[in-house]
Amino acid sequence: MPSRLFAIVAATDTTQVTVTTDTMQEAAAADVVWLGRAPTSVQVVKSPPNVPNGFGVVNMIDNPLTLGPDLSSKSIGKAQGFYALASQEEIALLMAMNFVFTQGKYNGSTITILGRNSVLNKVREMPVIGGSGLFRFATGYAQARTHMFDLKTGDATVEYSVYVKHY
Amino acid sequence: MPSRLFAIVAATDTTQVTVTTDTMQEAAAADVVWLGRAPTSVQVVKSPPNVPNGFGVVNMIDNPLTLGPDLSSKSIGKAQGFYALASQEEIALLMAMNFVFTQGKYNGSTITILGRNSVLNKVREMPVIGGSGLFRFATGYAQARTHMFDLKTGDATVEYSVYVKHY
Amino acid sequence: MPSRLFAIVAATDTTQVTVTTDTMQEAAAADVVWLGRAPTSVQVVKSPPNVPNGFGVVNMIDNPLTLGPDLSSKSIGKAQGFYALASQEEIALLMAMNFVFTQGKYNGSTITILGRNSVLNKVREMPVIGGSGLFRFATGYAQARTHMFDLKTGDATVEYSVYVKHY
């Protein structure tokens, strides 16, 4: 089981499409990838009455995965799944999502992430719990960093750095 | 950690109960298992208005696991969990489900699957991310193939081939 | 990858806060931890009409993790996520939750669990599918045992014993 390292820089909950360039990391290929959304994050479950911090809300997401934070960035796939607001004291999500690659060297493969995302923290780490295709038997972790957040529109750009070991 | 291979052939979203026979694969036991449903897949979350392809829908499932595709097939358990329509461009699911074995050699054990199911693709691969009992520490993958789909009733029969490594 | 064993004794769906003492297990440290809830488990998705056993219900949870079953127990974090009633024949849950440690030696780390919880069984085993921080690359299992259930209030105290291997 050779190990492989790469970085995904991605944006969630944003109407902006974004771009960047590939970078290299020592001893491993690194892709810098971004996620953007149009209105691709929609609330499907509401919070019950009298519950703080949106506890109980569920949003379905279908965010573009791009090669960078700019609008002109190349799209290489989607991040599809949902997040649930699972804390009464802060904005902390349970996130379940699949990174679906439809372009580039990971075309046709997926990565599955399930973990906790406390969105106001600078770095949030979530486990990579599996994958398909090239990422069969994948295990690893993703680190999410908010790149941009527009208070007026609610748009955000979030960078994902994903490290996986796989066959 | 000895590895073990077996195949589950299963049907989701079908009112048909199904049968088949056990087969052997080289160097490993292989069970051919099928999933059927009565009205055992129900929508619990609706799609928001003006969203394409049912994006946002969540269905809870409690499908019989059987040893084949026919109505007379022996039931060996259930597939319980949910799927969410997580794409605006195609019918692509985030599926989270437990295969619960209540008969046969896996009786009392479970297998947990979480991944992406693009239902119109011929073969859909999803990660096996864990299990219990005999499948403690399981890792592997499931390949889903649609065996039958009835446009009139919406019933479908889907074959699952599951490969796991476990203790 | 050194392996590490510890036990979490926790309570879900209870308004009681609980306490206990640390115990030691052979060859491994063991923490006895409990989960309690105030009104920290709320239904966010209803069961469809004419469906047995609450099939389809989804509850969001944000339960305190404590060091024991008593009200005076030290809180060391939260269990955040959801459970879905995924059986028409019994009360069997698909549970997805993150144990978030905010005190003690696991402070800042998380454990992610996804599996099946047949709540009336004496012992329910669910896979640990990942973690973050100290529990990066974690794999293992959790065993849940109901410690107390109050039929009048619906409160319950559930003990979780969690075994993980991690870096």
Side-chain angles (χ1 to χ4, degrees), chain C residues 96-146:
Chain C
M97 61 180 173
N98 297 304
F99 282 4
V100 190
F101 297 95
T102 53
Q103 300 278 332
K105 62 182 137 180
Y106 307 126
N107 189 9
S109 296
T110 65
I111 285 176
T112 301
I113 289 171
L114 177 61
R116 182 175 189 262
N117 184 354
S118 183
V119 296
L120 298 181
N121 284 6
K122 191 170 177 197
V123 181
R124 294 87 71 183
E125 184 178 317
M126 289 178 276
V128 169
I129 60 165
S132 70
L134 289 171
F135 299 113
R136 188 180 280 178
F137 293 108
T139 181
Y141 59 98
Q143 290 179 327
R145 292 171 179 85
T146 302

Side-chain angles (χ1 to χ4, degrees), chain C:
Chain C
M1 185 162 134
S3 102
R4 198 175 184 296
L5 205 70
F6 71 100
I8 292 181
V9 183
T12 54
D13 285 7
T14 173
T15 54
Q16 299 194 317
V17 186
T18 54
V19 194
T20 193
T21 53
D22 279 14
T23 62
M24 293 301 295
Q25 289 188 346
E26 49 170 352
D31 302 324
V32 181
V33 182
W34 294 81
L35 270 175
R37 92 164 160 87
T40 58
S41 173
V42 299
Q43 190 181 116
V44 295
V45 174
K46 287 187 298 187
S47 186
N50 306 317
V51 169
N53 281 315
F55 182 64
V57 162
V58 178
N59 266 47
M60 203 67 66
I61 59 172
D62 181 21
N63 290 316
L65 256 178
T66 63
L67 276 173
D70 298 326
L71 279 158
S72 50
S73 184
K74 176 178 163 62
S75 170
I76 58 157
K78 293 285 180 73
Q80 299 177 335
F82 66 88
Y83 59 76
L85 276 71
S87 174
Q88 300 202 21
E89 289 171 4
E90 58 179 315
I91 307 299
L93 315 175
L94 178 139
M95 290 195 84
M97 61 180 173
N98 297 304
F99 282 4
V100 190
F101 297 95
T102 53
Q103 300 278 332
K105 62 182 137 180
Y106 307 126
N107 189 9
S109 296
T110 65
I111 285 176
T112 301
I113 289 171
L114 177 61
R116 182 175 189 262
N117 184 354
S118 183
V119 296
L120 298 181
N121 284 6
K122 191 170 177 197
V123 181
R124 294 87 71 183
E125 184 178 317
M126 289 178 276
V128 169
I129 60 165
S132 70
L134 289 171
F135 299 113
R136 188 180 280 178
F137 293 108
T139 181
Y141 59 98
Q143 290 179 327
R145 292 171 179 85
T146 302
H147 183 262
M148 181 278 290
F149 180 64
D150 186 330
L151 273 170
K152 247 190 327 194
T153 62
D155 293 340
T157 302
V158 179
E159 171 190 317
Y160 278 85
S161 297
V162 181
Y163 304 91
V164 294
K165 291 186 289 184
H166 62 95
Y167 282 101

